[in-house]
Amino acid sequence: MLETGNITKLKTKRNKARDLFAYTDESGNTGQNLFDETQPHFWTATLLTNADVDLTGQTVHQTWLSRLQVPELHGSALGIGKINKISAELMAFLQAHSSRFVFTQIEKRFHAAARLSFTVLDSDFNKAVSPMHDLTSIFHRKMALDIFSFLTHSEAKAFWSAYETRNLSQFLQILDNLRLRIYERHTDNRGRQLLLDALSWASANPHEILRSTRTDRDSPNVLALDLLLGGIHKTTEGRSRIVRFCHDEQKQFGRAMTNSFELAKNVRGFTDKSTLLFRMERTEKFLCPIEMTSSQQSIGLQITDVVLYLMSQYLGNSYQPRMDDCGTLCEYVAQNSELEVFTYDGLKDSFMGQYSELMNREFTPDQIAKAQQLRDQIEEHRVNSMTS
């Protein structure tokens, strides 16, 4: 039986340079409307192959279209029943191309709440937040989780609206509500103090914290692109390079995504295990621009669309694989995939994993003393910065 937590990544041959081709499709796009109850998640899937399937797949693609009597492969239009009719041949085709997959899942309402948290906890602008709490992932995640636990659904929605027009009075009302709940209900004294300081400074300086209005760069589409780039870096460790990157066309967010891609495509972000700080390093992974292409013009995008529909149904618990060709295809995809999530549960799981790892470490008395001294220095600087 498949479990989402056990989606594994295919091990690559690290000693051999390989040219790879990438095709990305998306599902659940409602633009900047993050509160459509019918589409709570935004999904993307990326197919990675060892050849350009837009060329190698022409014959078999025509066979599939003829058998299904459709002009184009589109997962939601086909449904599980019709996908099953081509699943065996599709899996053989994917295997012949050493295919791997990167999926991203964004919880849209969480994206709005996370944007509020990132805005308030930005140490570059909020003088009550130390760089240590902002840049050390375990601390930032804990403070963000605390904010999310006290933030209501209506306030997340109100912030997204306030962010669109830079409505400072609406932003202040949200901050005041959070401060009151945290003051009354937060059970950890230190955590309460840090959050109240951050929210109080933000309330006193809203123009510094909510500095601009919402742009296309804040859309789930751009966030998903960042996630999938990270997933590609993980999946293609070693000397493999992407020589073609084909993305389903974007009428609204195409320019923002193209700009984001050029900035981030050859930068790998990671958390340093020794310091728990987030770091970035340069790596030559993409040797190409991003191509915004219609699915009608790309066999790779159509295959990705079918796979995305199948896996989104499976991961969303709407489809349980059976002992048929479609179930076998689903298992093959899951076993050769990387899943990158941006959800509340995903954040909680990542924090708990880091916390458990940290608590299981052994520290010498000298290390503990140095850590306490550094903590006191950072706290003194934070307080001085906040009060000045």
Side-chain angles (χ1 to χ4, degrees):
M1 182 176 179
L2 301 176
E3 297 182 8
T4 57
N6 291 331
I7 287 185
T8 58
K9 55 185 177 182
L10 188 67
K11 293 182 179 179
T12 60
K13 296 180 180 179
R14 300 186 180 183
N15 295 325
K16 183 179 179 181
R18 294 199 300 166
D19 290 344
L20 299 177
F21 299 77
Y23 310 85
T24 297
D25 193 28
E26 61 183 33
S27 175
N29 182 8
T30 51
Q32 296 279 30
N33 175 19
L34 305 186
F35 300 91
D36 183 347
E37 296 296 334
T38 64
Q39 297 190 80
H41 294 97
F42 179 69
W43 291 90
T44 72
T46 299
L47 166 65
L48 296 166
T49 62
N50 62 6
D52 190 344
V53 299
D54 285 349
L55 301 177
T56 63
Q58 292 180 6
T59 299
V60 70
H61 179 250
Q62 286 301 318
T63 300
W64 295 337
L65 296 183
S66 177
R67 182 183 305 164
L68 299 175
Q69 293 296 295
V70 294
E72 179 182 349
L73 296 180
H74 191 64
S76 61
L78 294 175
I80 299 298
K82 287 188 175 181
I83 293 175
N84 191 57
K85 294 181 180 180
I86 65 170
S87 289
E89 294 171 356
L90 177 55
M91 190 176 81
F93 181 80
L94 293 171
Q95 288 175 318
H97 289 77
S98 301
S99 301
R100 283 158 288 163
F101 309 88
V102 176
F103 294 92
T104 70
Q105 178 191 15
I106 295 175
E107 185 179 357
K108 295 181 185 177
R109 290 184 294 180
F110 174 70
H111 177 54
R115 186 56 57 188
L116 168 63
S117 173
F118 294 156
T119 300
V120 171
L121 299 179
D122 190 337
S123 61
D124 285 339
F125 299 93
N126 192 326
K127 303 306 180 184
V129 179
S130 73
M132 181 187 72
H133 291 106
D134 182 14
L135 302 178
T136 306
S137 59
I138 189 170
F139 294 140
H140 186 102
R141 287 172 178 171
K142 179 62 172 70
M143 294 179 71
L145 282 170
D146 286 345
I147 287 178
F148 300 150
S149 66
F150 291 106
L151 185 72
T152 67
H153 170 73
S154 61
E155 287 168 347
K157 191 173 183 179
F159 169 74
W160 197 243
S161 175
Y163 189 20
E164 181 179 15
T165 60
R166 197 170 181 253
N167 188 328
L168 296 182
S169 62
Q170 192 173 15
F171 180 54
L172 282 170
Q173 184 62 57
I174 297 168
L175 296 181
D176 288 342
N177 291 341
L178 275 173
R179 289 167 63 195
L180 179 61
R181 288 192 210 103
I182 290 171
Y183 177 78
E184 292 181 339
R185 304 177 193 174
H186 204 303
T187 57
D188 177 69
N189 289 335
R190 177 59 175 164
R192 179 173 58 193
Q193 177 190 355
L194 290 173
L195 286 176
L196 288 178
D197 285 349
L199 292 168
S200 296
W201 203 94
S203 294
N205 304 274
H207 56 287
E208 293 285 341
I209 303 301
L210 196 63
R211 297 174 299 282
S212 60
T213 57
R214 194 176 75 206
T215 70
D216 287 345
R217 293 190 301 273
D218 298 299
S219 69
N221 307 65
V222 176
L223 172 60
L225 179 63
D226 290 339
L227 290 177
L228 76 86
L229 290 179
I232 288 175
H233 280 289
K234 291 180 185 178
T235 304
T236 61
E237 292 178 353
R239 298 173 60 201
S240 298
R241 301 291 182 262
I242 310 298
V243 297
R244 187 187 182 205
F245 182 29
C246 184
H247 195 292
D248 191 30
E249 64 181 348
Q250 292 283 316
K251 294 181 180 179
Q252 182 177 359
F253 304 109
R255 177 176 295 182
M257 292 177 65
T258 299
N259 292 338
S260 181
F261 175 76
E262 288 301 322
L263 289 172
K265 65 181 182 180
N266 289 322
V267 177
R268 185 179 78 92
F270 64 98
T271 298
D272 189 310
K273 291 186 177 181
S274 61
T275 63
L276 298 181
L277 290 174
F278 182 78
R279 298 187 182 278
M280 292 184 291
E281 66 178 9
R282 181 79 180 178
T283 174
E284 294 299 323
K285 180 63 63 178
F286 287 83
L287 307 181
C288 59
I290 187 172
E291 299 177 34
M292 295 295 180
T293 307
S294 167
S295 61
Q296 294 177 341
Q297 300 174 343
S298 172
I299 296 170
L301 286 179
Q302 292 181 41
I303 292 174
T304 306
D305 184 282
V306 170
V307 171
L308 174 56
Y309 172 78
L310 178 64
M311 295 306 294
S312 63
Q313 294 296 299
Y314 164 60
L315 294 173
N317 297 317
S318 297
Y319 166 64
Q320 294 297 323
R322 302 176 181 177
M323 299 296 293
D324 57 12
D325 292 339
C326 197
T328 303
L329 173 62
C330 184
E331 185 169 358
Y332 168 78
V333 173
Q335 289 177 346
N336 295 284
S337 298
E338 180 79 25
L339 175 63
E340 300 288 329
V341 301
F342 192 81
T343 65
Y344 175 77
D345 288 339
L347 178 66
K348 186 164 58 174
D349 290 344
S350 63
F351 166 74
M352 291 306 300
Q354 281 190 324
Y355 180 79
S356 177
E357 180 183 352
L358 183 62
M359 290 299 101
N360 288 327
R361 289 187 186 181
E362 293 186 2
F363 298 95
T364 66
D366 184 56
Q367 288 175 321
I368 294 174
K370 288 182 177 179
Q372 291 173 337
Q373 182 181 20
L374 177 61
R375 175 202 62 193
D376 294 342
Q377 291 174 351
I378 291 174
E379 178 63 7
E380 181 181 3
H381 182 272
R382 185 188 75 87
V383 172
N384 290 336
S385 176
M386 177 178 61
T387 54
S388 63

